[in-house]
Amino acid sequence: QVQLKESGPGLVQPSQTLSLTCTVSGFSLTSNSVHWVRQPPGKGLEWVGAIWSGGSTDYNSALKSRLSISRDTSKSQVFLKMNSLQTEDTAIYFCTRAYGGYYFDYWGQGVMVTVSS
Amino acid sequence: DVQMTQSPSNLAASPGESVSINCKASKSISKYLAWYQQKPGKANKLLIYSGSTLQSGTPSRFSGSGSGTDFTLTIRNLEPEDFGLYYCQQHNEYPYTFGAGTKLELK
């Protein structure tokens, strides 16, 4: 069945780089897009960015200068890298599959990332 | 970006009752609205997409309506497992944007 699982450090120091991995199973990255969505504590959901089935990417314009999304199709993994982290980047980070590139039909459980010294 | 305004932010109801949650887009998004349920310790669950199409596995007590800028999620005959957070999301244009959420609590 379709599954997504995020992994990465729970704590990152301010100004450092966040690296997250989303490992997927049950579907192919070359046929589906995978997106990152984040949720600050007690707040709503924010779309972060996406990597499409062909390998192209799209980013939230507010984060674009700090963000990179890539993938390794042989390992069924999608990677998120965000630099110059600030406390406002503290959030749960989810990876999710977008069916047809539209709505998010499967989600990972999320990984909590805290930016703090 | 399309702004999504969701209301109410909090809602209290009892099992067996019916509730409605509204979502308003800052511009027309045609029919392209999705609804999600969020519960602690569980993956977010897609309930409805394209305004009114139930995702496979979504109970029939859930329904979605609306088009253009105004949408509604209705839950009839509430079950105990329905209590949680609900979010709308427009999937008409990038960047996809979400409502601020509605917390459905047990009265």
Side-chain angles (χ1 to χ4, degrees), chain A residues 35 37 39 43-47 50 52 61 94 98 101-109, chain B residues 1 34 36 38 41-46 49-50 55 87 89 91 94-96 98-100:
Chain A
H35 299 237
V37 174
Q39 184 173 34
K43 297 191 176 180
L45 300 163
E46 177 185 35
W47 179 76
W52 298 95
S61 59
F94 299 97
Y102 300 112
Y103 44 86
F104 305 123
D105 62 346
Y106 289 94
W107 295 69
Q109 296 261 21
Chain B
D1 299 359
Y36 301 89
Q38 185 176 68
K42 292 191 172 183
N44 295 335
K45 183 180 179 183
L46 171 67
Y49 60 91
S50 295
Q55 172 69 349
Y87 291 93
Q89 174 236 335
H91 56 94
Y94 275 92
Y96 289 163
F98 294 86

Side-chain angles (χ1 to χ4, degrees), chain A residues 4-117:
Chain A
L4 302 96
K5 186 173 176 61
E6 306 88 349
S7 58
L11 181 66
V12 181
Q13 295 202 341
S15 79
Q16 297 302 301
T17 297
L18 171 66
S19 295
L20 298 176
T21 299
C22 175
T23 303
V24 310
S25 59
F27 68 96
S28 169
L29 293 178
T30 59
S31 302
N32 295 269
S33 62
V34 171
H35 299 237
W36 290 93
V37 174
R38 69 180 183 177
Q39 184 173 34
K43 297 191 176 180
L45 300 163
E46 177 185 35
W47 179 76
V48 172
I51 187 162
W52 298 95
S53 56
S56 62
T57 53
D58 275 306
Y59 302 126
N60 183 318
S61 59
L63 304 172
K64 191 171 185 176
S65 63
R66 303 192 288 131
L67 187 61
S68 173
I69 297 175
S70 60
R71 69 183 185 183
D72 183 335
T73 56
S74 68
K75 294 183 178 179
S76 293
Q77 291 180 323
V78 174
F79 308 105
L80 177 150
K81 286 193 190 306
M82 186 183 301
N83 59 32
S84 303
L85 250 61
Q86 302 301 318
T87 55
E88 308 86 79
D89 297 311
T90 293
I92 300 173
Y93 286 75
F94 299 97
C95 62
T96 175
R97 185 182 84 164
Y99 185 85
Y102 300 112
Y103 44 86
F104 305 123
D105 62 346
Y106 289 94
W107 295 69
Q109 296 261 21
V111 59
M112 179 68 204
V113 174
T114 301
V115 182
S116 174
S117 56

Side-chain angles (χ1 to χ4, degrees), chain B residues 8-9 14 22 29 32 39 42 44 49-50 62 65 70-71 79-80 82-83 95 103:
Chain B
S9 54
S14 301
N22 301 300
I29 56 170
Y32 299 113
K39 302 184 79 169
K42 292 191 172 183
N44 295 335
Y49 60 91
S50 295
F62 289 85
S65 63
D70 293 288
F71 298 82
E79 295 282 346
D82 298 336
F83 295 92
K103 187 174 185 179

Side-chain angles (χ1 to χ4, degrees), chain B residues 5-12 20-23 86 100-104:
Chain B
T5 303
Q6 195 173 332
S7 62
S9 54
N10 292 282
L11 188 53
S20 291
I21 299 170
N22 301 300
C23 195
Y86 290 84
T102 295
K103 187 174 185 179
L104 176 58

